[in-house]
Amino acid sequence: MTETKRKLRSEAWFGGEGKNAFMHRSWMKNQGIPADAFDGRPVIGICNTWSELTPCNAHLRALADHVKRGVYEAGGLPLEFPVMSLGESNMRPTAMLFRNLVSMDVEESIRGNPIDGVILLVGCDKTTPALLMGAASCNLPTIAVSGGPMLNGKFRGQDIGSGTHVWKFAEEVKAGRMPVADFLAAEQGQSRSAGSCMTMGTASTMASMVEALGIGMPDNAAIPAVDSRRGVLAQMAGRQIVELVRKDVTIAQILTRHAFENAIRVNGAIGGSTNAVLHLIAIANRIGVDLSLDDWDRLGRDVPTIVDLMPSGRFLMEDFYYAGGLAAVMASLDEVGLLHRDAMTVSNKTIGELIDGAPNYNTEVIRPLSDPLTREGGISILRGNLAPNGAVIKPSAATPELMQHRGKAVVFENIEHYYARIDDPELDIDASSVMVLKNCGPRGYPGMAEVGNMPLPAKLLKQGVSDMVRISDARMSGTAYGTVVLHVAPEAAAGGALALVRDGDLIELDVAGRRLELLVSDEELATRRHDWQPPAAPEGGYQSLYVERVLQADKGCDFDFLVGRRDAGIPRHSH
């Protein structure tokens, strides 16, 4: 019996002899595409976030060529298309402001074009979740290919990490222990090759999440951007996406509940960025998986951090790859029953099949579970009257002695107030104080900028203070470190209790008890709330839409009208 060939989505554009098919094929042929390319073979969209304004992704044009080779080899037709590129290093006020906008760009670009399957070329922090969110809403066969991390930073005989050493060196300058000339001399050595941050910042965390979720090819997390094996991975992804289209394996069949649970546990084991909390919740909500802050705490609470990488540890992503990469980490988790082995991946193998026997070549970089970097490495979720809907802290990057702390608040009403006040010699602050930064959340900034790590005042740095408890509705760079409580929900600009904190208020942090409390009476808070005024909203433009429709941090900061899956049916004709 002959197998019936499934009619592909792209045939609604290119198939047949009518006027519309004529137009679609004719204009495509002006690129030199031969007639037999429209014979019903899979059309693969390559969604590229290449941009010279996004340094982490500036090499993705070359990577797209590797994908195209693989697509052609497998009998498909690759067609590359651009979307807005989000660069964390250059974009203001914050790339996070535009994550949802890019997801809309991706979703409608996929749905409105003759695409049967899609390769997402991602790298810098927000490009990964933005593209996955858009693709999830369409539910076509999908593979994400990350651009890979830079080579290890080098400066005067030591390895330095992108982002992480910026914060460290800047504090050394403020404390008078590092000349400005030395600080500036480290610039070129930190970023010495193509690729994204080589620390376990948000870019490397999200590349790891791509692999852990099964939506990327094996070794996606750690191959350096300039290693030839990154090109091989891209080419194999090009071949594989054609296979997924022919078998009709959609993104919803990969991004299951089990996949997200695996990713949460992997995030704890690698000491991943707090930003992964927002992004995975947003992606899950697009695909139809109910994922919450409680899931993050429940699933990640007892997972030790075993990857000794900056900012939590000593090494960098290049070392991680040579040590065995994410497969070695997942194999360790699997040994103690912390993974769903049956979760399917885009490679047509289960997670269990991919990690069986995965070697660990360096037990200093990927430590045994019996000797972890941090015994409780998962993201901890805090609640209390200061964060009734939740806040997050990354224990692996925090100071153990500060994980249970009570101190007086030193309050900054916004980031400008912080910069104006932090190095005032008259500022009443000491090592026991709790720094509080307001109005930097989704609505308040707007866009929830990475300002939550709040560098310490120079006078305390000069005294040898290296960490303090800091609390904000903002985010923190995944490359940063410290005892920082973030994503406080509801945020100050939405009327959360954070808006009511004043200088001198006592705040209690108890990470083990998962509590964050403002020790002020309900009566006093009610009085303060009566006097509180919300900040003025932006007038017109995209920022106005953002502030009006963005969800709070505990819901992933997506737009309320984008939650859910709309799939990619055939739109009506344009002519």
Side-chain angles (χ1 to χ4, degrees):
M1 182 175 173
T2 305
E3 183 179 347
T4 303
K5 183 180 176 183
R6 185 172 62 88
K7 188 174 182 179
L8 298 178
R9 183 174 180 271
S10 59
E11 291 185 55
W13 280 259
F14 299 135
E17 299 175 349
K19 169 179 62 72
N20 285 302
F22 175 101
M23 287 193 294
H24 292 309
R25 291 192 301 262
S26 177
W27 266 285
M28 290 297 290
K29 287 178 179 179
N30 79 356
Q31 301 175 70
I33 299 174
D36 61 1
F38 304 105
D39 59 4
R41 69 187 64 189
V43 175
I44 304 301
I46 302 174
C47 181
N48 201 342
T49 53
W50 170 86
S51 170
E52 290 179 338
L53 287 168
T54 306
C56 300
N57 296 19
H59 64 299
L60 293 187
R61 265 189 170 170
L63 205 62
D65 288 337
H66 288 278
V67 174
K68 289 177 182 178
R69 289 181 206 167
V71 173
Y72 280 128
E73 288 168 347
L77 174 62
L79 297 173
E80 185 179 351
F81 65 98
V83 292
M84 182 182 181
S85 187
L86 303 180
E88 202 65 43
S89 55
N90 285 330
M91 188 162 274
R92 297 184 180 184
T94 171
M96 183 64 175
L97 176 64
F98 306 106
R99 184 200 65 177
N100 299 345
L101 179 63
V102 173
S103 79
M104 295 167 69
D105 186 354
V106 172
E107 177 180 349
E108 301 307 333
S109 292
I110 292 172
R111 183 177 292 112
N113 280 293
I115 292 172
D116 301 308
V118 63
I119 294 279
L120 309 175
L121 289 184
V122 296
C124 197
D125 298 11
K126 307 306 172 293
T127 59
T128 302
L131 269 59
L132 283 172
M133 289 161 67
S137 290
C138 290
N139 194 31
L140 291 180
T142 303
I143 298 177
V145 175
S146 301
M150 293 185 282
L151 296 177
N152 288 1
K154 298 286 183 180
F155 179 63
R156 296 182 179 174
Q158 65 170 316
D159 282 354
I160 61 172
S162 49
T164 299
H165 273 84
V166 173
W167 317 127
K168 288 182 178 179
F169 288 162
E171 289 184 351
E172 290 291 294
V173 171
K174 283 181 71 173
R177 294 188 290 266
M178 185 179 195
V180 172
D182 288 356
F183 176 67
L184 297 178
E187 282 183 18
Q188 192 72 50
Q190 176 190 270
S191 307
R192 64 189 187 94
S193 82
S196 54
C197 287
M198 85 299 281
T199 49
M200 190 54 78
T202 306
S204 291
T205 296
M206 292 309 297
S208 298
M209 296 297 94
V210 163
E211 186 173 340
L213 286 165
I215 201 65
M217 302 295 285
D219 289 328
N220 181 79
I223 302 174
V226 295
D227 192 309
S228 61
R229 287 166 286 194
R230 179 62 63 178
V232 174
L233 181 148
Q235 188 164 339
M236 299 305 291
R239 295 180 186 177
Q240 189 61 23
I241 190 64
V242 175
E243 180 73 7
L244 294 183
V245 170
R246 286 178 172 146
K247 293 184 175 180
D248 196 24
V249 179
T250 68
I251 190 172
Q253 294 169 256
I254 305 297
L255 296 185
T256 62
R257 175 79 192 185
H258 280 184
F260 284 102
E261 292 188 356
N262 283 345
I264 289 172
R265 285 178 165 146
V266 168
N267 191 75
I270 63 175
S273 168
T274 50
N275 289 301
V277 178
L278 299 168
H279 300 325
L280 260 65
I281 288 175
I283 296 165
N285 286 343
R286 289 289 189 98
I287 206 74
V289 173
D290 184 16
L291 196 70
S292 69
L293 289 182
D294 290 336
D295 291 318
W296 275 90
D297 198 66
R298 175 178 59 85
L299 294 164
R301 184 168 194 151
D302 298 324
V303 176
T305 296
I306 59 174
V307 177
D308 194 344
L309 252 68
M310 300 179 197
S312 300
R314 299 171 290 165
F315 297 99
L316 294 165
M317 289 297 291
E318 193 178 346
D319 308 305
F320 182 44
Y321 178 56
Y322 303 148
L326 200 71
V329 175
M330 296 182 77
S332 291
L333 295 178
D334 184 45
E335 287 175 5
V336 291
L338 290 178
L339 287 184
H340 297 291
R341 290 177 52 84
D342 62 342
M344 186 52 67
T345 73
V346 293
S347 66
N348 284 339
K349 293 183 178 180
T350 65
I351 283 289
E353 290 171 327
L354 289 178
I355 65 175
D356 276 342
N360 180 352
Y361 298 111
N362 189 333
T363 54
E364 278 195 85
V365 178
I366 303 173
R367 301 168 67 139
L369 286 167
S370 58
D371 183 29
L373 184 69
T374 305
R375 294 212 170 270
E376 286 193 14
I379 302 296
S380 296
I381 306 302
L382 311 174
R383 297 186 191 274
N385 68 342
L386 192 52
N389 293 347
V392 306
I393 188 171
K394 180 178 174 179
S396 64
T399 301
E401 294 76 20
L402 292 175
M403 300 280 271
Q404 189 163 20
H405 182 80
R406 179 184 290 192
K408 291 184 178 180
V410 178
V411 177
F412 308 97
E413 294 296 328
N414 52 45
I415 193 61
E416 289 76 21
H417 188 217
Y418 164 82
Y419 284 125
R421 193 181 188 208
I422 190 61
D423 287 324
D424 182 346
E426 300 303 315
L427 181 63
D428 184 12
I429 189 170
D430 59 34
S432 69
S433 300
V434 176
M435 296 168 64
V436 176
L437 176 61
K438 305 178 183 179
N439 294 305
C440 294
R443 296 185 189 175
Y445 208 74
M448 203 178 183
E450 291 184 341
V451 295
N453 52 309
M454 289 178 278
L456 275 54
K459 67 179 181 181
L460 295 186
L461 291 169
K462 291 175 181 177
Q463 295 169 16
V465 178
S466 60
D467 194 12
M468 294 172 63
V469 174
R470 288 158 275 178
I471 299 171
S472 181
D473 48 12
R475 297 180 300 113
M476 177 174 76
S477 168
T479 66
Y481 51 89
T483 310
V484 188
V485 178
L486 302 153
H487 307 186
V488 171
E491 63 175 306
L498 192 69
L500 310 179
V501 183
R502 295 180 180 175
D503 281 340
D505 288 347
L506 279 176
I507 294 176
E508 186 171 61
L509 169 68
D510 178 8
V511 177
R514 300 299 196 261
R515 291 190 307 109
L516 182 65
E517 297 286 345
L518 176 61
L519 303 181
V520 174
S521 70
D522 292 343
E523 292 77 16
E524 172 62 18
L525 291 178
T527 299
R528 295 182 188 181
R529 184 170 297 283
H530 182 269
D531 297 333
W532 175 77
Q533 294 291 324
E539 293 185 10
Y542 172 71
Q543 289 194 18
S544 177
L545 169 70
Y546 187 95
V547 169
E548 181 182 344
R549 304 306 291 266
V550 71
L551 298 170
Q552 288 292 289
D554 59 307
K555 302 296 184 184
C557 298
D558 202 355
F559 289 153
D560 53 7
F561 61 87
L562 293 179
V563 173
R565 211 177 80 200
R566 288 163 286 283
D567 290 343
I570 308 298
R572 66 204 324 179
H573 285 298
S574 55
H575 297 89

